[in-house]
Amino acid sequence: MSDAVLDIPSRNRTRRSRSFWRKPWLLSAVLLVVFIGINILIQPRFFSAYALGNIITTMLPWMLIAVGQTYVIFGGSIDLSLGAIVSLVNVVVVVLITALGGGPGAMVLGMVAGLLLGTLCGALNGFLISAFRLQAIVTTFATSIIYGGAALVVLPQAGGSLPTEYFTVYSEGFFGLTLPIYLLVALILVAAFVATTRYQKHLLATGGNRQAAFQTGLPVRRIVMGAHAIAGFMSAVAALCILGVAGAGDPLMGQAFTLGSVSAVVLGGTALAGGWGSVTGSIIGAAILALINNIIFFSGIDYIYQAIVQGGIILAALAAGVFASRRQK
Amino acid sequence: MSDVTGNHREGAFQRAFAFAAGTPAIATLFGCVVLLVAGQSIAPGFASLGQIAGQLNVAAILALVAAGQGIVILSGREGIDLSVGATMTLAALLAGNTMNGQDGGIAPALLAALAAGGFVGLLNGLGITVLRIPPLVMTLGMAGVITGLLIVVTQGQSSGSTAPSWAAFVTRPFLFGLPGVLFLWLLIIVLIEAGLRYTRFGINLYAVGSNDFAARLAGISVGWTRILAYVACGAFAGLAGAVLLGYTGNIFLGSGEQYILPGVIAVVLGGTSLAGGKGNYVGTAAGAFFLTLLTSFLTILSVAPAQRQIIFGVILIGFMLLYGREKATR
């Protein structure tokens, strides 16, 4: 009897500490520190405002897409067309702004149209997957073919150009900080806000056990479709950010983002099966991917070795992350 | 009485229709026939025997990749292998350098291709079962590592070349006017179907794929079954790489990339469930043939490549709407 009474507080304590150790993003945070350390070693000026601003500008599109992908994966789905959505929005915005004359009004209109288009593309994915119960991997692969083809129809070759104001505003920003820094802060705040909403709980419930969520009365179809629409919107924002750096359209530019976003989500500790994970982790995961690229760039590794070093580091980081999260469960 | 027979006949027709619609292999083959007829009416000669043999020849490579992919998908737990493209390139480069244009090198080259593919599959399988890395991520990472390795070894140059006899086996008429590789494909269809139905591995595979907990309780070694599935997938990708070498003559980095996701689509069009435990290879083979026919059908339509790409995607979604649907949540 006394044992049981004594047990209760200690069990509570272990549960509380375990709940900290079970934070999905914990290991990725450790990895982030490690990779920042390596970066400082090989690039002593890493913490200069210029270098930091640069790396945040490179990271931001990856983070945006990874966050979108995270919501989709939370719901037990996956979207392999996000890269194609980035391409499509990218070229449509360039062509539209040019066609409208390139004034401030044209830029706002073009950006709004781009965001709308991205959201619609994502929502279409979600609609096909949830309303017709299609398998997400193959469906979004098929829509990625369609979106990619549409991007090539709109702008067959990389080119076109935006008014200079577009990328000066993006790179100069306000009050001495570049626009990507504000956007990063906004992304973190929005993600933190979404994490407190009922929607994220419902989304995680749907991904964790779709049938149970359905039987509880959750509108699982609408929830999953919403996640896909969010991912499409995030990809569109990323496309606008990429334009802020590149200043020209490229119908093939999004390709690398699709699988990169999945890697970032997994690095962040989110379960690909759905129902468990964290957006913070994905943001950190995307940062890790960018830092790995940075390390390879600044370490002076011969060009031909870069791909294998990058692949090896990512695989090792993923293996470590998955291995650690398995022990926590 | 006549009423009853009428009803009976209608029932039979409906049952036949339901069977065809519910059997993806038959629906996909029907799609192939539609494409052949439509192609023939646009470009006479599209459905000639020689053309069909040529299409089958191209489809064989995709079908070999899809064979391995199908086995991995059958094994369940989101099983998928996205490293098959890199594995194909690796195996084809190995085989090309072993043959180096000499007929005497064919046997060792094929062995090397199969072994290299099998080894990659073994690594994938171990990572997925022992380290429990999700298959999508593990095989994607593996693809990155192999591609990186190939860049280092080849310095980005194309190297090796096919032996003339191997090229002839893959592309030239061998028997009844058909190239030898089609007979190899036929043999593989029979072997896989028999293997899935009658061998212990095949039966275990379905059991593991549909419910691995129950399979474990039944005494099946779930881990080994999955590892073997990935080894088989790698070996098939290796074989497909060797055939690709025979078909194209020489291999560049990235030659295999274009087969990765079409291979998965062929499996899905063939009626294999991505959830695992349900499906067969005849359907996958039909799916590979359908995809190949669709590609060349869109080529003969005088449509620009980008528009062609859009039509391809729309048709894929249409086919998935027909029977790629999962069970409703209740």
Side-chain angles (χ1 to χ4, degrees):
Chain A
M1 279 301 277
S2 61
D3 273 0
V5 174
L6 280 175
D7 260 350
I8 292 164
S10 72
R11 200 186 290 156
N12 274 346
R13 205 179 307 139
T14 48
R15 191 167 295 163
R16 209 175 304 134
S17 62
R18 212 180 268 158
S19 80
F20 174 74
W21 289 109
R22 277 200 56 181
K23 286 278 187 252
W25 45 265
L26 196 73
L27 192 105
S28 56
V30 174
L31 282 175
L32 182 70
V33 173
V34 171
F35 282 115
I36 288 180
I38 301 176
N39 262 287
I40 295 172
L41 282 181
I42 59 175
Q43 190 194 357
R45 293 167 60 84
F46 179 73
F47 274 118
S48 70
Y50 176 76
L52 269 183
N54 255 350
I55 198 159
I56 287 176
T57 308
T58 339
M59 281 174 181
L60 188 65
W62 291 93
M63 291 175 166
L64 288 162
I65 300 167
V67 168
Q69 186 74 271
T70 312
Y71 291 124
V72 174
I73 290 176
F74 274 179
S77 186
I78 195 166
D79 196 330
L80 298 185
S81 75
L82 296 184
I85 295 178
V86 170
S87 301
L88 181 59
V89 171
N90 181 298
V91 295
V92 165
V93 169
V94 169
V95 169
L96 208 59
I97 290 181
T98 316
L100 291 173
M107 277 196 267
V108 172
L109 214 64
M111 287 164 69
V112 171
L115 294 176
L116 214 64
L117 176 67
T119 315
L120 275 178
C121 287
L124 176 64
N125 288 338
F127 177 70
L128 287 171
I129 290 166
S130 54
F132 297 111
R133 308 189 301 275
L134 297 183
Q135 290 158 335
I137 291 186
V138 278
T139 309
T140 54
F141 173 61
T143 56
S144 83
I145 297 178
I146 298 174
Y147 301 153
L152 284 167
V153 171
V154 173
L155 192 71
Q157 273 160 359
S161 70
L162 285 174
T164 36
E165 293 86 8
Y166 189 97
F167 43 93
T168 47
V169 168
Y170 187 74
S171 59
E172 283 169 9
F174 314 97
F175 311 119
L177 292 177
T178 63
L179 201 57
I181 295 177
Y182 290 105
L183 288 173
L184 176 59
V185 173
L187 173 68
I188 293 170
L189 290 180
V190 169
F193 168 71
V194 174
T196 65
T197 59
R198 210 182 297 162
Y199 176 72
Q200 178 158 333
K201 276 211 176 62
H202 290 172
L203 186 60
L204 285 166
T206 306
N209 188 339
R210 192 185 167 93
Q211 191 161 359
F214 182 78
Q215 286 169 344
T216 323
L218 293 183
V220 287
R221 289 182 182 182
R222 244 184 299 153
I223 290 172
V224 172
M225 194 172 144
H228 277 276
I230 295 175
F233 175 79
M234 293 300 227
S235 308
V237 178
L240 296 180
C241 291
I242 292 165
L243 277 177
V245 179
D250 182 353
L252 301 174
M253 94 119 359
Q255 286 174 347
F257 288 100
T258 302
L259 294 170
S261 67
V262 178
S263 303
V265 172
V266 176
L267 268 177
T270 295
L272 270 187
W276 196 75
S278 93
V279 175
T280 318
S282 304
I283 295 178
I284 298 176
I288 292 176
L289 287 182
L291 288 175
I292 291 176
N293 284 340
N294 206 46
I295 290 173
I296 291 169
F297 182 77
F298 277 100
S299 61
I301 301 176
D302 193 349
Y303 173 75
I304 60 163
Y305 292 99
Q306 286 185 3
I308 187 169
V309 173
Q310 188 179 16
I313 295 178
I314 293 175
L315 196 57
L318 287 172
V322 173
F323 201 60
S325 69
R326 174 172 62 129
R327 293 183 144 199
Q328 286 157 27
K329 283 180 206 169
Chain B
M1 276 304 278
S2 64
D3 208 6
V4 172
T5 19
N7 274 345
H8 176 71
R9 226 177 253 158
E10 202 173 271
F13 175 74
Q14 277 171 345
R15 253 180 291 152
F17 183 77
F19 175 72
T23 312
I26 292 175
T28 308
L29 281 176
F30 182 71
C32 293
V33 173
V34 170
L35 281 177
L36 284 172
V37 172
Q40 175 72 20
S41 64
I42 294 168
F46 186 78
S48 70
L49 283 179
Q51 270 296 320
I52 294 179
Q55 300 290 349
L56 282 171
N57 205 349
V58 178
I61 304 174
L62 181 59
L64 285 177
V65 184
Q69 194 70 263
I71 292 173
V72 160
I73 290 174
L74 271 183
S75 79
R77 277 283 157 106
E78 292 136 33
I80 196 162
D81 189 343
L82 298 184
S83 70
V84 286
T87 308
M88 273 178 84
T89 312
L90 168 74
L93 278 168
L94 255 177
N97 281 298
T98 315
M99 286 182 198
N100 229 345
Q102 305 296 317
D103 281 350
I106 293 180
L110 286 181
L111 270 180
L114 285 173
F119 181 67
V120 172
L122 180 66
L123 293 181
N124 280 333
L126 287 174
I128 289 159
T129 53
V130 179
L131 296 178
R132 296 198 204 174
I133 304 177
L136 189 76
V137 177
M138 177 67 209
T139 56
L140 211 62
M142 183 57 77
V145 171
I146 297 173
T147 306
L149 195 73
L150 289 178
I151 293 176
V152 173
V153 174
T154 63
Q155 307 276 321
Q157 308 276 312
S158 162
S159 70
S161 59
T162 176
S165 302
W166 179 244
F169 177 77
V170 174
T171 55
R172 294 278 158 70
F174 171 73
L175 199 66
F176 313 124
L178 298 173
V181 73
L182 290 187
F183 295 97
L184 178 68
W185 184 17
L186 191 66
L187 179 71
I188 284 174
I189 294 178
V190 173
L191 283 180
I192 294 184
E193 282 296 329
L196 287 178
R197 276 164 215 219
Y198 303 116
T199 67
R200 177 183 293 218
F201 170 69
I203 293 162
N204 286 356
L205 192 67
Y206 282 105
V208 168
S210 45
N211 187 337
D212 57 359
F213 184 66
R216 184 166 288 134
L217 290 184
I220 296 172
S221 170
V222 174
W224 278 114
T225 307
R226 285 228 166 89
I227 292 175
L228 262 182
Y230 282 92
V231 170
C233 181
F236 273 115
L239 183 61
V243 174
L244 181 66
L245 169 77
Y247 192 77
T248 59
N250 46 24
I251 293 293
F252 299 92
L253 279 179
S255 288
E257 304 284 313
Q258 51 182 325
Y259 292 96
I260 305 172
L261 286 166
V264 179
I265 298 260
V267 172
V268 172
L269 286 182
T272 300
S273 159
L274 280 184
K278 185 175 152 285
N280 59 29
Y281 183 57
V282 174
T284 303
F289 185 47
F290 176 79
L291 282 183
T292 311
L293 272 183
L294 180 58
T295 311
S296 45
F297 174 72
L298 292 176
T299 314
I300 61 164
L301 294 178
S302 42
V303 183
Q307 278 88 340
R308 205 189 294 158
Q309 197 178 326
I310 298 178
I311 301 174
F312 187 77
V314 170
I315 293 179
L316 283 187
I317 292 203
F319 246 83
M320 277 176 234
L321 285 176
L322 272 183
Y323 56 79
R325 300 168 68 167
E326 289 168 81
K327 268 184 272 172
T329 322
R330 281 181 201 284

